[in-house]
Amino acid sequence: EESLQMWDLNKRLEAYLARVKFLEEENEVLRAEIQSAKSSPAGDSWRVKYEEELRALRDALDLAFREKCTAELARDNLYEEVQQVKSRCQKEQAAREEAKKQLSLSRKELEEERRAQIWLKERAVQLEKEVEALLELHEEEKAGLDQEIASFSQSLESFRCTPVAFQPVEVEDYSKRLSEIWKGAVETYKTEVSQLEGSLCQAKENLWKAVEDNQQSQLQLQHLEKDLAGLKARKEMLEESLAQQWQEQRGEAEKFQLAMEALEQEQQSLRVQIARVLEDRQQLMHLKMSLSLEVATYRTLLEAESTRLQMPAG
């Protein structure tokens, strides 16, 4: 039984020794690989390459941040320009509304002047008709007076004796009164005609002024419409450029974000690999220590057994 136990222990010891030898060889290989990786220029070049890539990505990130700052400044400037364009459009819209109001007032004044001119023309025609009627009445009265004078002279000639000092005082007074009335009517007509002519000239001047103001308002309105169209086109162009810059900036930010995520994932994977290697190495060290203890224990047992076997029978 003891020999069978010793044989079993020897088999186990051989297996443990073979495993320890294998693990020591693997540990030596790993140590050699780690030392070669640490001391070899390839590892240094890989680390330098990684650091260079990381530095390049940091520089690219700084450049993207600066470009983002410049784009934000350009966006702010464009926003200020758009606000200025909007304020200018509002001012021009207000000026346009004011011009429309002035144009409507000018049109109203023009209509009033036209109505006044038509009324003055109708009044002039009416006064002409009244003057013609007065002239006809005057001619009729004059003809009647001539007939009365002729009949009165015939009646005077029918007398046999001609009076020496006869003066037709009433007829002369009547003719004087008629001439004065006629002169007064003519003067009144002349004054009314002159007043009508003056008001007509004033109405014409007001009409021309209204027409000129209307033309100026239309020209100003056309200029304002042209400026408004130009400002609208510029606003659309600025909005398109701003949207394009926003899209470009968003695409670059997404690219840099993806690159940073890829680098972080790579760094995390490298950290995991390093931790795994260290953990394997720690496990190997623990296993080596446990195997060393077992080997020492089996050696002690073997030495004790060999000493016991070598002792004499007594």
Side-chain angles (χ1 to χ4, degrees):
E1 290 177 358
E2 290 178 358
S3 62
L4 289 174
Q5 290 179 0
M6 288 298 296
W7 185 75
D8 190 11
L9 289 174
N10 288 327
K11 290 292 182 181
R12 288 179 63 186
L13 181 60
E14 288 177 0
Y16 278 119
L17 290 174
R19 188 176 178 185
V20 167
K21 187 177 180 180
F22 175 73
L23 290 173
E24 286 180 353
E25 290 177 356
E26 191 176 3
N27 193 7
E28 291 295 333
V29 171
L30 289 173
R31 187 181 291 110
E33 288 180 356
I34 291 170
Q35 292 294 330
S36 63
K38 287 182 178 178
S39 61
S40 65
D44 294 335
S45 64
W46 178 78
R47 185 177 296 174
V48 170
K49 185 178 179 181
Y50 176 72
E51 290 178 354
E52 287 179 354
E53 289 180 357
L54 188 61
R55 192 180 300 109
L57 288 171
R58 287 176 180 174
D59 294 334
L61 186 61
D62 293 333
L63 182 61
F65 183 74
R66 286 195 291 271
E67 288 179 354
K68 181 181 178 182
C69 292
T70 54
E72 287 178 354
L73 291 173
R75 181 193 65 187
D76 295 333
N77 293 325
L78 288 173
Y79 182 74
E80 290 178 358
E81 289 182 0
V82 169
Q83 292 296 325
Q84 290 177 1
V85 169
K86 285 183 179 178
S87 62
R88 189 175 177 185
C89 288
Q90 290 176 359
K91 289 180 181 178
E92 289 184 355
Q93 188 70 24
R96 186 176 178 182
E97 294 294 332
E98 187 67 24
K100 286 183 179 179
K101 289 180 181 178
Q102 291 180 359
L103 182 62
S104 62
L105 291 174
S106 300
R107 286 177 179 174
K108 288 180 180 179
E109 291 178 357
L110 182 62
E111 292 293 332
E112 290 177 358
E113 293 294 333
R114 287 178 180 174
R115 291 175 183 175
Q117 188 178 4
I118 292 169
W119 181 78
L120 290 173
K121 287 180 180 179
E122 291 177 355
R123 182 65 177 169
V125 172
Q126 186 178 1
L127 290 173
E128 287 178 357
K129 290 180 179 179
E130 290 179 358
V131 169
E132 290 178 357
L134 289 173
L135 288 173
E136 291 178 357
L137 183 60
H138 180 67
E139 292 293 332
E140 290 177 357
E141 289 179 354
K142 189 177 179 181
L145 289 173
D146 290 335
Q147 291 177 2
E148 287 179 359
I149 291 168
S151 63
F152 185 71
S153 61
Q154 289 177 4
S155 64
L156 288 176
E157 288 177 357
S158 64
F159 290 106
R160 293 180 179 178
C161 59
T162 304
V164 178
F166 178 74
Q167 295 179 358
V169 181
E170 294 179 358
V171 175
E172 290 178 357
D173 293 335
Y174 188 67
S175 63
K176 286 179 181 181
R177 287 175 65 186
L178 286 175
S179 62
E180 289 176 356
I181 291 169
W182 172 250
K183 288 180 181 179
V186 171
E187 292 294 332
T188 304
Y189 174 73
K190 286 181 179 180
T191 54
E192 289 181 356
V193 169
S194 63
Q195 289 177 358
L196 288 172
E197 287 179 353
S199 61
L200 185 61
C201 292
Q202 187 68 29
K204 286 182 179 179
E205 290 178 358
N206 293 326
L207 182 62
W208 282 109
K209 286 181 180 179
V211 171
E212 289 178 356
D213 292 335
N214 190 7
Q215 290 178 357
Q216 291 179 0
S217 299
Q218 288 180 357
L219 291 173
Q220 188 177 3
L221 185 62
Q222 290 177 0
H223 288 300
L224 289 173
E225 287 178 352
K226 288 181 181 179
D227 294 335
L228 184 61
L231 289 172
K232 284 182 179 179
R234 187 179 178 185
K235 181 182 177 183
E236 291 177 355
M237 184 173 66
L238 289 173
E239 288 178 353
E240 288 177 358
S241 63
L242 183 61
Q244 188 176 1
Q245 287 182 0
W246 269 105
Q247 290 179 359
E248 291 178 356
Q249 185 180 0
R250 188 178 296 171
E252 291 178 356
E254 289 178 355
K255 288 181 182 178
F256 284 115
Q257 187 69 27
L258 291 174
M260 289 297 295
E261 289 178 357
L263 285 173
E264 288 179 356
Q265 290 178 0
E266 186 177 358
Q267 187 178 5
Q268 190 69 27
S269 64
L270 288 172
R271 286 179 180 176
V272 170
Q273 289 178 4
I274 291 169
R276 190 179 297 167
V277 169
L278 292 174
E279 187 178 358
D280 292 337
R281 186 177 178 183
Q282 191 72 23
Q283 288 179 0
L284 288 173
M285 292 296 292
H286 286 296
L287 185 59
K288 182 179 178 182
M289 290 176 66
S290 63
L291 289 174
S292 298
L293 290 173
E294 288 183 358
V295 167
T297 304
Y298 283 117
R299 280 178 183 176
T300 305
L301 291 172
L302 288 173
E303 287 177 357
E305 186 67 24
S306 64
T307 304
R308 189 178 64 80
L309 291 173
Q310 289 176 1
M311 287 178 67

